[in-house]
Amino acid sequence: MLYSMQEVKTQFSLSTSTLHYYERIGILPHVQKNESGHRVYTEKDIEWLKIILCMRGTGIGITEIKAFMEL
């Protein structure tokens, strides 16, 4: 199943800029785009996002999350 950016933003209460930032710094890699050029998120992307947000919720910094994701 694929999710639109709006669906992901609503589900996780995130902004567009936050999702773009996570992509840009590489902690939410490989987000696909549809034929119209809009981002679509897969189940795998959603699982990564859940991990990222869980780690953020415990106070882990972006640098540490990025190092974890690169493993």
Side-chain angles (χ1 to χ4, degrees), residues 2-15 19 28 39-42 45-46 49 53:
L2 297 176
Y3 301 90
S4 70
M5 179 173 280
Q6 186 61 43
E7 290 171 317
V8 174
K9 286 172 36 177
T10 301
Q11 180 178 350
F12 294 103
S13 300
L14 295 171
S15 67
L19 289 168
L28 189 59
R39 287 170 173 82
V40 289
Y41 297 84
T42 64
D45 296 326
I46 298 299
L49 192 52
L53 295 176

PDB file of all heavy atoms in Angstrom, residues 2-15 19 28 39-42 45-46 49 53:
ATOM      1  N   LEU A   2       0.443   2.257  -0.701  1.00  0.00           N
ATOM      2  CA  LEU A   2       1.170   3.519  -0.756  1.00  0.00           C
ATOM      3  C   LEU A   2       0.353   4.604  -0.067  1.00  0.00           C
ATOM      4  O   LEU A   2      -0.872   4.621  -0.135  1.00  0.00           O
ATOM      5  CB  LEU A   2       1.434   3.923  -2.204  1.00  0.00           C
ATOM      6  CG  LEU A   2       2.318   2.979  -3.009  1.00  0.00           C
ATOM      7  CD1 LEU A   2       2.413   3.445  -4.452  1.00  0.00           C
ATOM      8  CD2 LEU A   2       3.694   2.870  -2.399  1.00  0.00           C
ATOM      9  N   TYR A   3       1.071   5.506   0.608  1.00  0.00           N
ATOM     10  CA  TYR A   3       0.438   6.596   1.335  1.00  0.00           C
ATOM     11  C   TYR A   3       0.912   7.921   0.771  1.00  0.00           C
ATOM     12  O   TYR A   3       2.092   8.087   0.468  1.00  0.00           O
ATOM     13  CB  TYR A   3       0.808   6.531   2.818  1.00  0.00           C
ATOM     14  CG  TYR A   3       0.408   5.243   3.479  1.00  0.00           C
ATOM     15  CD1 TYR A   3       1.280   4.151   3.500  1.00  0.00           C
ATOM     16  CD2 TYR A   3      -0.837   5.103   4.077  1.00  0.00           C
ATOM     17  CE1 TYR A   3       0.917   2.956   4.105  1.00  0.00           C
ATOM     18  CE2 TYR A   3      -1.205   3.917   4.686  1.00  0.00           C
ATOM     19  CZ  TYR A   3      -0.330   2.853   4.689  1.00  0.00           C
ATOM     20  OH  TYR A   3      -0.696   1.667   5.285  1.00  0.00           O
ATOM     21  N   SER A   4       0.009   8.876   0.694  1.00  0.00           N
ATOM     22  CA  SER A   4       0.374  10.213   0.239  1.00  0.00           C
ATOM     23  C   SER A   4       1.058  10.958   1.380  1.00  0.00           C
ATOM     24  O   SER A   4       0.960  10.570   2.550  1.00  0.00           O
ATOM     25  CB  SER A   4      -0.869  10.989  -0.192  1.00  0.00           C
ATOM     26  OG  SER A   4      -1.663  11.303   0.949  1.00  0.00           O
ATOM     27  N   MET A   5       1.719  12.054   1.030  1.00  0.00           N
ATOM     28  CA  MET A   5       2.349  12.864   2.060  1.00  0.00           C
ATOM     29  C   MET A   5       1.293  13.382   3.036  1.00  0.00           C
ATOM     30  O   MET A   5       1.518  13.407   4.240  1.00  0.00           O
ATOM     31  CB  MET A   5       3.135  14.027   1.465  1.00  0.00           C
ATOM     32  CG  MET A   5       3.770  14.889   2.541  1.00  0.00           C
ATOM     33  SD  MET A   5       4.864  16.139   1.928  1.00  0.00           S
ATOM     34  CE  MET A   5       6.333  15.178   1.640  1.00  0.00           C
ATOM     35  N   GLN A   6       0.147  13.774   2.532  1.00  0.00           N
ATOM     36  CA  GLN A   6      -0.922  14.282   3.400  1.00  0.00           C
ATOM     37  C   GLN A   6      -1.352  13.222   4.409  1.00  0.00           C
ATOM     38  O   GLN A   6      -1.560  13.525   5.589  1.00  0.00           O
ATOM     39  CB  GLN A   6      -2.119  14.746   2.570  1.00  0.00           C
ATOM     40  CG  GLN A   6      -3.193  15.415   3.394  1.00  0.00           C
ATOM     41  CD  GLN A   6      -2.689  16.671   4.090  1.00  0.00           C
ATOM     42  OE1 GLN A   6      -1.982  17.483   3.506  1.00  0.00           O
ATOM     43  NE2 GLN A   6      -3.047  16.843   5.350  1.00  0.00           N
ATOM     44  N   GLU A   7      -1.472  11.978   3.970  1.00  0.00           N
ATOM     45  CA  GLU A   7      -1.860  10.902   4.882  1.00  0.00           C
ATOM     46  C   GLU A   7      -0.804  10.695   5.965  1.00  0.00           C
ATOM     47  O   GLU A   7      -1.137  10.515   7.140  1.00  0.00           O
ATOM     48  CB  GLU A   7      -2.070   9.591   4.105  1.00  0.00           C
ATOM     49  CG  GLU A   7      -3.293   9.612   3.219  1.00  0.00           C
ATOM     50  CD  GLU A   7      -3.378   8.414   2.304  1.00  0.00           C
ATOM     51  OE1 GLU A   7      -2.340   8.013   1.713  1.00  0.00           O
ATOM     52  OE2 GLU A   7      -4.488   7.879   2.169  1.00  0.00           O
ATOM     53  N   VAL A   8       0.464  10.734   5.575  1.00  0.00           N
ATOM     54  CA  VAL A   8       1.555  10.546   6.530  1.00  0.00           C
ATOM     55  C   VAL A   8       1.614  11.721   7.506  1.00  0.00           C
ATOM     56  O   VAL A   8       1.750  11.521   8.719  1.00  0.00           O
ATOM     57  CB  VAL A   8       2.901  10.352   5.796  1.00  0.00           C
ATOM     58  CG1 VAL A   8       4.057  10.308   6.777  1.00  0.00           C
ATOM     59  CG2 VAL A   8       2.861   9.085   4.955  1.00  0.00           C
ATOM     60  N   LYS A   9       1.488  12.927   6.989  1.00  0.00           N
ATOM     61  CA  LYS A   9       1.497  14.117   7.846  1.00  0.00           C
ATOM     62  C   LYS A   9       0.384  14.037   8.882  1.00  0.00           C
ATOM     63  O   LYS A   9       0.601  14.320  10.061  1.00  0.00           O
ATOM     64  CB  LYS A   9       1.314  15.377   6.997  1.00  0.00           C
ATOM     65  CG  LYS A   9       2.514  15.772   6.196  1.00  0.00           C
ATOM     66  CD  LYS A   9       2.250  16.897   5.225  1.00  0.00           C
ATOM     67  CE  LYS A   9       1.294  17.944   5.706  1.00  0.00           C
ATOM     68  NZ  LYS A   9       1.125  19.056   4.749  1.00  0.00           N
ATOM     69  N   THR A  10      -0.796  13.641   8.454  1.00  0.00           N
ATOM     70  CA  THR A  10      -1.942  13.555   9.355  1.00  0.00           C
ATOM     71  C   THR A  10      -1.750  12.441  10.381  1.00  0.00           C
ATOM     72  O   THR A  10      -1.979  12.645  11.576  1.00  0.00           O
ATOM     73  CB  THR A  10      -3.234  13.316   8.546  1.00  0.00           C
ATOM     74  OG1 THR A  10      -3.411  14.397   7.636  1.00  0.00           O
ATOM     75  CG2 THR A  10      -4.438  13.204   9.455  1.00  0.00           C
ATOM     76  N   GLN A  11      -1.318  11.285   9.923  1.00  0.00           N
ATOM     77  CA  GLN A  11      -1.154  10.135  10.815  1.00  0.00           C
ATOM     78  C   GLN A  11      -0.147  10.408  11.923  1.00  0.00           C
ATOM     79  O   GLN A  11      -0.341  10.000  13.066  1.00  0.00           O
ATOM     80  CB  GLN A  11      -0.721   8.903  10.020  1.00  0.00           C
ATOM     81  CG  GLN A  11      -0.535   7.668  10.873  1.00  0.00           C
ATOM     82  CD  GLN A  11      -0.152   6.444  10.069  1.00  0.00           C
ATOM     83  OE1 GLN A  11      -0.185   6.438   8.844  1.00  0.00           O
ATOM     84  NE2 GLN A  11       0.222   5.388  10.757  1.00  0.00           N
ATOM     85  N   PHE A  12       0.944  11.113  11.596  1.00  0.00           N
ATOM     86  CA  PHE A  12       2.025  11.310  12.558  1.00  0.00           C
ATOM     87  C   PHE A  12       2.139  12.751  13.076  1.00  0.00           C
ATOM     88  O   PHE A  12       3.059  13.064  13.827  1.00  0.00           O
ATOM     89  CB  PHE A  12       3.356  10.883  11.939  1.00  0.00           C
ATOM     90  CG  PHE A  12       3.417   9.419  11.655  1.00  0.00           C
ATOM     91  CD1 PHE A  12       3.260   8.948  10.366  1.00  0.00           C
ATOM     92  CD2 PHE A  12       3.609   8.502  12.671  1.00  0.00           C
ATOM     93  CE1 PHE A  12       3.304   7.587  10.087  1.00  0.00           C
ATOM     94  CE2 PHE A  12       3.654   7.144  12.412  1.00  0.00           C
ATOM     95  CZ  PHE A  12       3.495   6.686  11.114  1.00  0.00           C
ATOM     96  N   SER A  13       1.222  13.609  12.679  1.00  0.00           N
ATOM     97  CA  SER A  13       1.241  15.023  13.094  1.00  0.00           C
ATOM     98  C   SER A  13       2.585  15.677  12.792  1.00  0.00           C
ATOM     99  O   SER A  13       3.199  16.311  13.654  1.00  0.00           O
ATOM    100  CB  SER A  13       0.909  15.152  14.582  1.00  0.00           C
ATOM    101  OG  SER A  13      -0.362  14.638  14.864  1.00  0.00           O
ATOM    102  N   LEU A  14       3.036  15.509  11.557  1.00  0.00           N
ATOM    103  CA  LEU A  14       4.302  16.082  11.111  1.00  0.00           C
ATOM    104  C   LEU A  14       4.044  17.114  10.027  1.00  0.00           C
ATOM    105  O   LEU A  14       3.022  17.081   9.345  1.00  0.00           O
ATOM    106  CB  LEU A  14       5.219  14.989  10.552  1.00  0.00           C
ATOM    107  CG  LEU A  14       5.693  13.933  11.529  1.00  0.00           C
ATOM    108  CD1 LEU A  14       6.412  12.809  10.787  1.00  0.00           C
ATOM    109  CD2 LEU A  14       6.593  14.545  12.578  1.00  0.00           C
ATOM    110  N   SER A  15       4.995  17.993   9.854  1.00  0.00           N
ATOM    111  CA  SER A  15       4.897  18.990   8.784  1.00  0.00           C
ATOM    112  C   SER A  15       5.594  18.472   7.523  1.00  0.00           C
ATOM    113  O   SER A  15       6.418  17.555   7.585  1.00  0.00           O
ATOM    114  CB  SER A  15       5.545  20.302   9.221  1.00  0.00           C
ATOM    115  OG  SER A  15       6.944  20.124   9.360  1.00  0.00           O
ATOM    116  N   LEU A  19       9.215  16.129   7.080  1.00  0.00           N
ATOM    117  CA  LEU A  19       9.394  14.952   6.226  1.00  0.00           C
ATOM    118  C   LEU A  19      10.488  15.190   5.185  1.00  0.00           C
ATOM    119  O   LEU A  19      11.330  14.317   4.943  1.00  0.00           O
ATOM    120  CB  LEU A  19       8.080  14.577   5.549  1.00  0.00           C
ATOM    121  CG  LEU A  19       7.023  13.995   6.489  1.00  0.00           C
ATOM    122  CD1 LEU A  19       5.671  13.917   5.795  1.00  0.00           C
ATOM    123  CD2 LEU A  19       7.447  12.627   6.998  1.00  0.00           C
ATOM    124  N   LEU A  28      15.299   9.047   6.376  1.00  0.00           N
ATOM    125  CA  LEU A  28      14.122   8.465   5.735  1.00  0.00           C
ATOM    126  C   LEU A  28      14.427   8.378   4.240  1.00  0.00           C
ATOM    127  O   LEU A  28      13.933   9.137   3.421  1.00  0.00           O
ATOM    128  CB  LEU A  28      12.884   9.331   5.999  1.00  0.00           C
ATOM    129  CG  LEU A  28      11.542   8.755   5.575  1.00  0.00           C
ATOM    130  CD1 LEU A  28      11.269   7.429   6.273  1.00  0.00           C
ATOM    131  CD2 LEU A  28      10.426   9.740   5.875  1.00  0.00           C
ATOM    132  N   ARG A  39       5.456  12.675  -3.662  1.00  0.00           N
ATOM    133  CA  ARG A  39       6.012  11.621  -2.817  1.00  0.00           C
ATOM    134  C   ARG A  39       4.917  10.639  -2.408  1.00  0.00           C
ATOM    135  O   ARG A  39       3.798  11.041  -2.089  1.00  0.00           O
ATOM    136  CB  ARG A  39       6.642  12.224  -1.573  1.00  0.00           C
ATOM    137  CG  ARG A  39       7.938  12.930  -1.851  1.00  0.00           C
ATOM    138  CD  ARG A  39       8.391  13.720  -0.624  1.00  0.00           C
ATOM    139  NE  ARG A  39       9.715  14.277  -0.819  1.00  0.00           N
ATOM    140  CZ  ARG A  39       9.978  15.390  -1.478  1.00  0.00           C
ATOM    141  NH1 ARG A  39       8.992  16.074  -2.023  1.00  0.00           N
ATOM    142  NH2 ARG A  39      11.213  15.827  -1.606  1.00  0.00           N
ATOM    143  N   VAL A  40       5.288   9.374  -2.413  1.00  0.00           N
ATOM    144  CA  VAL A  40       4.419   8.313  -1.904  1.00  0.00           C
ATOM    145  C   VAL A  40       5.244   7.456  -0.949  1.00  0.00           C
ATOM    146  O   VAL A  40       6.404   7.158  -1.216  1.00  0.00           O
ATOM    147  CB  VAL A  40       3.800   7.462  -3.038  1.00  0.00           C
ATOM    148  CG1 VAL A  40       2.759   8.244  -3.809  1.00  0.00           C
ATOM    149  CG2 VAL A  40       4.847   6.914  -3.976  1.00  0.00           C
ATOM    150  N   TYR A  41       4.633   7.108   0.147  1.00  0.00           N
ATOM    151  CA  TYR A  41       5.325   6.389   1.207  1.00  0.00           C
ATOM    152  C   TYR A  41       4.823   4.952   1.261  1.00  0.00           C
ATOM    153  O   TYR A  41       3.625   4.694   1.242  1.00  0.00           O
ATOM    154  CB  TYR A  41       5.084   7.093   2.551  1.00  0.00           C
ATOM    155  CG  TYR A  41       5.660   8.484   2.571  1.00  0.00           C
ATOM    156  CD1 TYR A  41       4.954   9.569   2.064  1.00  0.00           C
ATOM    157  CD2 TYR A  41       6.931   8.718   3.072  1.00  0.00           C
ATOM    158  CE1 TYR A  41       5.496  10.847   2.058  1.00  0.00           C
ATOM    159  CE2 TYR A  41       7.481   9.991   3.075  1.00  0.00           C
ATOM    160  CZ  TYR A  41       6.753  11.049   2.564  1.00  0.00           C
ATOM    161  OH  TYR A  41       7.299  12.305   2.563  1.00  0.00           O
ATOM    162  N   THR A  42       5.775   4.031   1.324  1.00  0.00           N
ATOM    163  CA  THR A  42       5.459   2.607   1.392  1.00  0.00           C
ATOM    164  C   THR A  42       5.313   2.189   2.852  1.00  0.00           C
ATOM    165  O   THR A  42       5.613   2.951   3.775  1.00  0.00           O
ATOM    166  CB  THR A  42       6.580   1.775   0.756  1.00  0.00           C
ATOM    167  OG1 THR A  42       7.775   1.957   1.542  1.00  0.00           O
ATOM    168  CG2 THR A  42       6.845   2.169  -0.694  1.00  0.00           C
ATOM    169  N   ASP A  45       8.577   2.619   4.523  1.00  0.00           N
ATOM    170  CA  ASP A  45       8.820   4.010   4.915  1.00  0.00           C
ATOM    171  C   ASP A  45       8.097   4.328   6.226  1.00  0.00           C
ATOM    172  O   ASP A  45       8.654   4.988   7.105  1.00  0.00           O
ATOM    173  CB  ASP A  45       8.342   4.983   3.836  1.00  0.00           C
ATOM    174  CG  ASP A  45       9.093   4.850   2.525  1.00  0.00           C
ATOM    175  OD1 ASP A  45      10.311   4.551   2.548  1.00  0.00           O
ATOM    176  OD2 ASP A  45       8.458   5.042   1.467  1.00  0.00           O
ATOM    177  N   ILE A  46       6.872   3.847   6.336  1.00  0.00           N
ATOM    178  CA  ILE A  46       6.082   4.088   7.548  1.00  0.00           C
ATOM    179  C   ILE A  46       6.751   3.435   8.757  1.00  0.00           C
ATOM    180  O   ILE A  46       6.831   4.032   9.838  1.00  0.00           O
ATOM    181  CB  ILE A  46       4.639   3.571   7.373  1.00  0.00           C
ATOM    182  CG1 ILE A  46       3.920   4.312   6.242  1.00  0.00           C
ATOM    183  CG2 ILE A  46       3.864   3.653   8.687  1.00  0.00           C
ATOM    184  CD1 ILE A  46       3.774   5.801   6.430  1.00  0.00           C
ATOM    185  N   LEU A  49       9.681   5.492   9.746  1.00  0.00           N
ATOM    186  CA  LEU A  49       9.215   6.718  10.385  1.00  0.00           C
ATOM    187  C   LEU A  49       8.794   6.447  11.837  1.00  0.00           C
ATOM    188  O   LEU A  49       9.079   7.245  12.733  1.00  0.00           O
ATOM    189  CB  LEU A  49       8.065   7.315   9.587  1.00  0.00           C
ATOM    190  CG  LEU A  49       7.642   8.728   9.935  1.00  0.00           C
ATOM    191  CD1 LEU A  49       8.817   9.694   9.947  1.00  0.00           C
ATOM    192  CD2 LEU A  49       6.581   9.199   8.969  1.00  0.00           C
ATOM    193  N   LEU A  53      10.492   8.356  15.000  1.00  0.00           N
ATOM    194  CA  LEU A  53       9.691   9.111  15.966  1.00  0.00           C
ATOM    195  C   LEU A  53       9.784   8.518  17.366  1.00  0.00           C
ATOM    196  O   LEU A  53       9.776   9.262  18.357  1.00  0.00           O
ATOM    197  CB  LEU A  53       8.244   9.197  15.493  1.00  0.00           C
ATOM    198  CG  LEU A  53       8.054   9.982  14.196  1.00  0.00           C
ATOM    199  CD1 LEU A  53       6.600   9.941  13.753  1.00  0.00           C
ATOM    200  CD2 LEU A  53       8.532  11.411  14.349  1.00  0.00           C
TER     201      LEU A  53
END
